[in-house]
Amino acid sequence: VRFASPKRVYHPNVCPKSGGICMDILNDSHIWSPSIGIERLLVSVASLLSEPRPEHGLNQEALEHLRNNPGVYAARASEAAGPIGSAATRTPSTSSSPPIFVGTPAGLAGGSDDNNENNNDNNDNDNND
């Protein structure tokens, strides 16, 4: 797993050249398992992005800024992400795509509860036999 555009990710745990991610579930053969699943993997990446691990890193410059000057780190991260990564530029009126919900019930993520109702109706019919 790696970022395809590493220059847009200024983060101490992301390699600025390859886009590789320094994350234990990816790099430790004792922890990694294909059964981890894509949802857990994405949650782990999101967690790492929001809570950098200052104990070690792949981007030494970002690591030093995070440790010694968090304000500079935040500014550089925002600058690297560009307008899409800046919360100030994201508004509902300028967003062209719907939000993505991870780990929510289908009804809240834009799915339909009609299928569930149909399934319940079918189950009720089975009980009447």
Side-chain angles (χ1 to χ4, degrees):
V1 176
R2 67 180 187 87
F3 285 94
S5 301
K7 300 240 184 266
R8 301 231 14 205
V9 183
Y10 187 77
H11 193 279
N13 306 116
V14 177
C15 178
K17 293 179 182 174
S18 71
I21 303 170
C22 182
M23 195 165 61
D24 57 355
I25 67 169
L26 293 175
N27 300 321
D28 187 334
S29 62
H30 294 86
I31 298 174
W32 169 250
S33 167
S35 67
I36 286 176
I38 192 74
E39 183 177 358
R40 182 169 172 207
L41 179 63
L42 291 175
V43 167
S44 296
V45 170
S47 174
L48 180 72
L49 290 175
S50 65
E51 298 175 23
R53 309 305 190 268
E55 306 83 47
H56 49 78
L58 297 172
N59 182 335
Q60 293 303 311
E61 178 184 293
L63 185 59
E64 288 301 315
H65 282 142
L66 178 65
R67 287 177 178 163
N68 301 322
N69 196 338
V72 170
Y73 167 75
R76 291 287 306 273
S78 180
E79 179 184 312
I84 297 210
S86 172
T89 61
R90 282 183 283 164
T91 61
S93 62
T94 61
S95 177
S96 62
S97 42
I100 297 172
F101 297 96
V102 177
T104 59
L108 296 177
S112 172
D113 285 340
D114 293 340
N115 291 338
N116 291 338
E117 290 174 12
N118 291 338
N119 288 341
N120 290 339
D121 290 342
N122 291 340
N123 290 340
D124 290 340
N125 292 339
D126 290 342
N127 292 336
N128 292 335
D129 290 339

